[in-house]
Amino acid sequence: MGAGGLRTLLKTVRYEVLPAKATEEKVLAHVPRDVVVTVTASPVKGLEPTLDLAGRLAAHGYRVVPHVPARLLRDDLHLKEVAGRLREAGVDDVFVPAGDADPPAGPYDGALPVLRRLSELGGPFSHVGVTGYPESHPLIHDDITVQAMWDKREHATYIVSNLCFDPRVLADWLVRVRRREVTLPVHVGVAGPVQRAKLMAMATKIGVGESTRFLAQHASWFVRFAAPGGYSPEKLLTRAENALTDHASGVAGLHLFTFNQIAETEKWRRSLLDRLDA
């Protein structure tokens, strides 16, 4: 990949973190204030840890993007309370996936009804993200996931793609999205320099039921991390050069899944930027 294109991507990153006990300390110690921090939400722990951490990080001067899964919202009043709390904390960007809670906590079984309701409430957030799936969703057909982005485009301002390890699959997906005239900018989801052993340890800490579901849905991730030579985000970025830098792809930046290996992810990013600058 050309140094300029890769440098631009590395400077427009978002770090996805889990709201664990030590997350705030890790972010403060290792993440610059110009890096956007997104905070996941768990069907096991609910929204409270996400909202709490998002508020604290926003108070520290970070631009924070909390995940607000539709299936964790109890009712319309809960949605209004969540929106009000986040706006009071200075948050103007939210990511609205469907979520994995089964059964849903309330009437929302998908992201679209929540997105529509937020629009009806006057659009309390300047930026609203939705999910894209370059690799097949374990429960939803590919054509349906692309159609869903079309349905959501009037209520969202950007797309965050789920993890993808195949540059050809990623490139084909970006083409398919644009052919459907979905023009929202895309933040491409990439795993940071995560180690399989640490990923396994993280999965076992997020709750027995949730970690079982996580491992079942993402078994291929562990195969890739354990492959000879391991997983290299730099290698993926290099091989996906054309898709990521093509203006027609509309890639706005990288969404790095840190799996809470925050220090390692930032060290890798800084090291690669230093090498490119040199």
Side-chain angles (χ1 to χ4, degrees):
M1 178 183 286
L6 181 53
R7 185 183 296 108
T8 298
L9 289 173
L10 289 168
K11 289 185 176 180
T12 52
V13 298
R14 299 154 55 101
Y15 282 176
E16 180 172 302
V17 303
L18 291 82
K21 183 177 181 180
T23 303
E24 180 180 5
E25 180 182 348
K26 290 181 179 180
V27 171
L28 291 175
H30 303 289
V31 180
R33 295 299 194 281
D34 61 347
V35 171
V36 175
V37 179
T38 78
V39 184
T40 66
S42 159
V44 173
K45 298 180 180 178
L47 269 175
E48 184 57 34
T50 300
L51 302 177
D52 182 53
L53 179 59
R56 296 201 310 271
L57 291 177
H60 287 301
Y62 287 95
R63 181 181 169 191
V64 186
V65 184
H67 292 209
V68 183
R71 286 172 166 255
L72 288 183
L73 294 166
R74 296 187 299 272
D75 49 34
D76 188 60
L77 178 60
H78 188 203
L79 173 59
K80 292 178 181 178
E81 290 175 348
V82 169
R85 179 173 171 181
L86 291 174
R87 289 302 298 139
E88 185 176 349
V91 173
D92 70 348
D93 191 341
V94 293
F95 177 64
V96 184
D100 297 325
D102 187 16
Y108 302 115
D109 62 354
L112 185 57
V114 174
L115 296 170
R116 287 173 172 159
R117 188 64 184 122
L118 287 174
S119 293
E120 292 169 358
L121 292 173
F125 303 103
S126 301
H127 309 280
V128 179
V130 295
T131 310
Y133 296 96
E135 296 191 355
S136 295
H137 188 283
L139 303 176
I140 308 174
H141 191 278
D142 291 347
D143 288 339
I144 295 177
T145 62
V146 175
Q147 178 64 41
M149 283 185 287
W150 170 263
D151 295 336
K152 297 170 187 174
R153 74 195 189 285
E154 294 182 358
H155 307 282
T157 60
Y158 65 90
I159 296 167
V160 177
S161 75
N162 207 346
L163 277 179
C164 183
F165 296 95
D166 188 326
R168 289 174 297 179
V169 170
L170 176 59
D172 290 345
W173 175 75
L174 287 168
V175 169
R176 288 181 61 211
V177 170
R178 299 315 179 197
R179 283 178 178 171
R180 291 292 292 271
E181 298 183 3
V182 177
T183 60
L184 298 176
V186 174
H187 295 268
V188 173
V190 177
V194 63
Q195 297 177 13
R196 182 177 181 273
K198 291 186 177 180
L199 181 61
M200 287 290 291
M202 181 279 300
T204 61
K205 291 179 180 178
I206 61 178
V208 176
E210 185 178 0
S211 61
T212 299
R213 180 166 49 250
F214 178 87
L215 294 172
Q217 293 183 358
H218 305 295
S220 64
W221 295 3
F222 296 92
V223 173
R224 293 177 185 272
F225 290 133
Y231 163 72
S232 167
E234 184 177 350
K235 184 184 298 184
L236 173 65
L237 294 175
T238 300
R239 292 177 176 175
E241 171 187 357
N242 291 337
L244 295 174
T245 59
D246 185 349
H247 180 72
S249 296
V251 174
L254 301 179
H255 182 97
L256 290 175
F257 293 81
T258 70
F259 299 103
N260 273 20
Q261 296 180 40
I262 297 167
E264 295 88 341
T265 301
E266 177 60 11
K267 180 179 179 181
W268 166 80
R269 185 180 77 100
R270 291 302 330 168
S271 175
L272 186 50
L273 278 171
D274 289 344
R275 280 186 280 140
L276 291 171
D277 289 339

